[in-house]
Amino acid sequence: MACKSLLLAVALLGLSGCAGMPRPAVAPAAPIAAETSPVAGMAANPIVYFVLTDRFLNGNPANDRSYGRSPDGDKEIGSFHGGDLAGLTRRLKEGYFQRLGVNALWISAPYEQIHGWVQGGKAEFKHYGYHGYFALDYTVLDRNMGTAEELREMVDTAHAQGIRVLFDVVMNHPGYLDIETATQLSIPVLWPEAAQKYTLSDYHGWIDYNADKQRWAQWWGGDWVRAGLAGYREGGSDDFSKQLAFLPDFRTDNAQPVGLPPFLAGKSDSRAKPLPNATVREYLVSWLSDWVREYGIDGFRCDTAKHVEPASWQALKTASNAALADWKARHPRKKVDDAPFWMVGEVFPHGVERDDYYQQGFDSLINFDLQDRKLDEPAELDRLYSEYALALAAGRAGGRTFDVLSYLSSHDTRLYRRDRLMQAGSALLLAPGGVQIFYGDESARPAGPASAGDPQQATRSDMNWASPDLAVLAHWQKLGSFRARHVALARGSHQRLSQMPYSFARVLGQDRVVAAPFATGAVEIPVQDVFRDGEKLRDAYSGASVTVIAGRVKLQAAGTVLLEAMD
């Protein structure tokens, strides 16, 4: 790479030195109403970066093989790759997330996962809990993720930059019982020599699924989960009680007090303690909210939200709100602000509509609609923007506003087309409501290996630090920074201003912007009723300054136009 290109890469990535590199205008309708946002802080304009920590950056190689985990020596589809909390901190310190305008960092669940692997896909690969969805112990960090000190440093570093930290959490299910965990924690349900002889092809043959209930009771126990084993109930058929992907299902609806699961009671490094007269729900809420009270975690992304009864989510929100308030009172110099705890739920295939979930503790829900829309056709994009802005503003005067978190790519669905990330990035980062950047969409991270039985694993490749698409990255940085300055993009009234080039305005109180996401070359954009004649504007994309003359501006567009008033 030439010196000039290398310097550009360093600047765009926000790294220190070489660290980590290897038709005619349509006249507008009536003037746009000036409204004010009913919420403040990050909740008014969520710009959330979702990262699978293990696949992002290895900041501390010493923790890579915790609990005896090892590479599979093949495609490494489901093994731990080494990314950790220290890696996140390094990029935070280098300003990587600030350059993207990010105000919240959603990380994969960092608490302890099952120690070994289970069959992935159709017995095609070794599947570890690198993603955080195979929980073992909710009270301690997974050693692959790092130490308590590293978590505290990461959170404090983020907060110092105005970036909140969100944990991915699961209350629907713990992880499977794998052979390594059963061996290390002495859960007596394996056939002799299982730990030495099991392979990918004969894995389940080494687990005695017909063992009596006394032996299986040494795991979670039938009062805690549905698992269809001796002493355990079968999974149900409704959303709340079914076993997803054969995972044990927490009995969060069980109103009877339970004791600590035997394996946790005997686990020497666990912080789990008996809670008098506590139910399964109360244990889980206590364990999860303790992370908030101890470290100042600002919010949760709640996995499989429709598979847990609403009362559990409300209990989690209430406890976490109190825990965050307590942490902020004790750490006034470390808090971002006094905003309450924030929760976003995954309710597949939820779109942009307000429903009862917003009465159950959720501030936002993931929007599964945007990824499937036509994002590079101006007419279709404007239709989407109008729909979203109207829906999200509905009932504002009555205080029944709501929010959604839109995305392009997801670890559970697919990566957006890698050759369309400029156009799609514009569509996402200029959309009403909250937005979620999936790690690597901003750098055109390529898909990774997968199996026929689990193609979604391809979405979880390693971050492409050595070969980012610098043009895509620069584009996303400009758009993200612009969005971070303008809550009007998330909460404002939307109005199309012209067809050629396609341009629109968003206005919220005194915050007014005009954008033309597909503009190239010499363009003329109407801005009347948004900006005054004689007003000086800045195109945040090209850096050019323009003056409003006769309700219009003329400029040379560099692919996108982002107009804002000059200070």
Side-chain angles (χ1 to χ4, degrees):
M1 182 183 290
C3 181
K4 184 176 180 180
S5 297
L6 178 59
L7 290 173
L8 176 61
V10 169
L12 291 173
L13 287 167
L15 308 180
S16 302
C18 293
M21 289 295 298
R23 297 149 168 108
V26 174
I32 302 171
E35 302 177 68
T36 57
S37 176
V39 291
M42 191 272 284
N45 186 19
I47 308 172
V48 180
Y49 191 97
F50 169 32
V51 56
L52 284 175
T53 307
D54 174 68
R55 304 301 170 90
F56 192 64
L57 183 68
N58 192 344
N60 182 7
N63 62 32
D64 288 359
R65 298 199 177 190
S66 299
Y67 312 105
R69 295 165 179 160
S70 62
D72 64 22
D74 189 12
K75 297 178 181 178
E76 307 301 339
I77 294 173
S79 57
F80 278 83
H81 290 193
D84 48 28
L85 297 168
L88 292 174
T89 301
R90 184 188 302 178
R91 287 296 180 253
L92 279 163
K93 290 181 176 180
E94 292 162 349
Y96 185 79
F97 302 107
Q98 283 184 306
R99 293 171 190 269
L100 283 168
V102 167
N103 56 25
L105 186 60
W106 155 17
I107 68 172
S108 48
Y111 41 76
E112 188 176 344
Q113 303 294 298
I114 62 172
H115 293 177
W117 51 270
V118 295
Q119 287 178 328
K122 299 176 180 177
E124 299 160 299
F125 63 92
K126 296 178 180 179
H127 192 173
Y128 287 88
Y130 70 89
H131 38 61
Y133 298 124
F134 292 168
L136 176 68
D137 187 344
Y138 286 81
T139 71
V140 294
L141 281 170
D142 192 281
R143 294 176 196 164
N144 265 77
M145 294 297 100
T147 64
E149 293 74 20
E150 287 170 328
L151 174 59
R152 202 177 308 279
E153 182 183 15
M154 189 273 287
V155 175
D156 289 348
T157 303
H159 284 173
Q161 298 177 11
I163 298 174
R164 290 165 170 81
V165 176
L166 316 177
F167 274 13
D168 208 334
V169 300
V170 188
M171 281 212 300
N172 177 56
H173 60 77
Y176 303 100
L177 179 61
D178 67 287
I179 291 175
E180 285 299 323
T181 299
T183 300
Q184 294 177 22
L185 298 185
S186 301
I187 301 172
V189 295
L190 303 179
W191 293 109
E193 300 185 297
Q196 292 76 41
K197 294 185 176 181
Y198 75 103
T199 67
L200 188 60
S201 61
D202 66 1
Y203 188 94
H204 289 290
W206 292 99
I207 301 174
D208 185 1
Y209 290 109
N210 294 316
D212 60 48
K213 65 181 182 180
Q214 284 77 21
R215 285 197 283 160
W216 274 109
Q218 299 306 302
W219 187 38
W220 285 96
D223 290 337
W224 272 83
V225 300
R226 303 175 183 88
L229 301 164
Y232 293 73
R233 297 186 182 194
E234 296 282 348
S237 58
D238 61 274
D239 278 343
F240 296 153
S241 63
K242 66 173 58 173
Q243 288 182 245
L244 300 178
F246 302 102
L247 285 157
D249 182 72
F250 276 129
R251 294 183 59 192
T252 46
D253 58 337
N254 181 10
Q256 299 302 311
V258 296
L260 274 181
F263 82 91
L264 280 181
K267 187 170 176 285
S268 61
D269 64 341
S270 180
R271 299 180 65 188
K273 305 298 180 185
L275 300 177
N277 298 312
T279 64
V280 172
R281 177 191 298 166
E282 288 167 338
Y283 268 104
L284 291 172
V285 166
S286 176
W287 292 341
L288 291 170
S289 61
D290 276 351
W291 293 100
V292 181
R293 179 170 284 102
E294 179 67 22
Y295 296 96
I297 304 307
D298 302 278
F300 289 152
R301 177 269 188 183
C302 301
D303 186 68
T304 57
K306 72 178 181 181
H307 296 291
V308 178
E309 66 284 346
S312 290
W313 294 125
Q314 186 59 67
L316 180 63
K317 177 64 173 292
T318 300
S320 299
N321 234 341
L324 184 58
D326 176 64
W327 182 86
K328 289 181 176 182
R330 290 182 289 110
H331 302 88
R333 296 185 178 181
K334 291 185 175 183
K335 64 183 181 181
V336 175
D337 55 25
D338 291 318
F341 193 78
W342 191 81
M343 280 192 1
V344 57
E346 180 216 15
V347 184
F348 184 83
H350 206 280
V352 184
E353 65 268 354
R354 194 185 197 286
D355 53 24
D356 288 344
Y357 282 100
Y358 294 93
Q359 303 299 114
Q360 299 164 4
F362 292 108
D363 300 281
S364 183
L365 295 177
I366 293 174
N367 172 29
F368 291 87
D369 173 71
L370 184 135
Q371 185 184 45
D372 294 320
R373 299 288 287 267
K374 295 178 180 179
L375 302 180
D376 53 3
E377 295 182 11
E380 290 297 319
L381 183 60
D382 191 71
R383 184 174 295 112
L384 178 149
Y385 284 168
S386 297
E387 289 174 5
Y388 283 16
L390 285 172
L392 294 170
R396 180 174 293 167
R400 292 179 60 80
T401 57
F402 69 103
D403 196 32
V404 295
L405 199 63
S406 299
Y407 68 91
L408 289 179
S409 300
S410 166
H411 64 312
D412 284 332
T413 55
R414 64 184 183 279
L415 295 181
Y416 201 88
R417 281 181 53 179
R418 303 287 92 177
D419 62 342
R420 303 299 289 174
L421 285 172
M422 298 276 275
Q423 299 87 343
S426 295
L428 174 69
L429 292 172
L430 296 173
V435 297
Q436 172 230 297
I437 302 170
F438 187 43
Y439 79 107
D441 272 2
E442 79 280 10
S443 59
R445 171 177 59 89
S451 72
D454 192 353
Q456 282 75 28
Q457 294 293 330
T459 68
R460 308 169 184 185
S461 55
D462 290 333
M463 185 66 175
N464 56 328
W465 295 116
S467 57
D469 187 315
L470 298 182
V472 173
L473 180 59
H475 183 72
W476 281 63
Q477 287 175 337
K478 291 176 183 179
L479 283 157
S481 297
F482 183 71
R483 184 182 185 91
R485 293 194 298 273
H486 297 292
V487 68
L489 283 167
R491 292 283 177 179
S493 300
H494 172 85
Q495 185 170 311
R496 187 178 69 180
L497 300 179
S498 62
Q499 290 180 331
M500 289 291 288
Y502 167 57
S503 65
F504 64 85
R506 297 266 172 78
V507 175
L508 188 70
Q510 298 305 307
D511 188 21
R512 297 171 174 246
V513 296
V514 169
F518 309 120
T520 302
V523 297
E524 184 173 334
I525 300 173
V527 297
Q528 67 264 43
D529 300 318
V530 185
F531 299 110
R532 303 182 308 275
D533 276 2
E535 194 167 358
K536 299 285 189 181
L537 307 182
R538 173 178 178 267
D539 174 18
Y541 196 84
S542 68
S545 299
V546 295
T547 302
V548 181
I549 300 174
R552 313 175 79 81
V553 296
K554 296 179 180 180
L555 71 160
Q556 194 73 20
T560 298
V561 173
L562 304 172
L563 296 175
E564 59 188 355
M566 295 183 67
D567 294 334

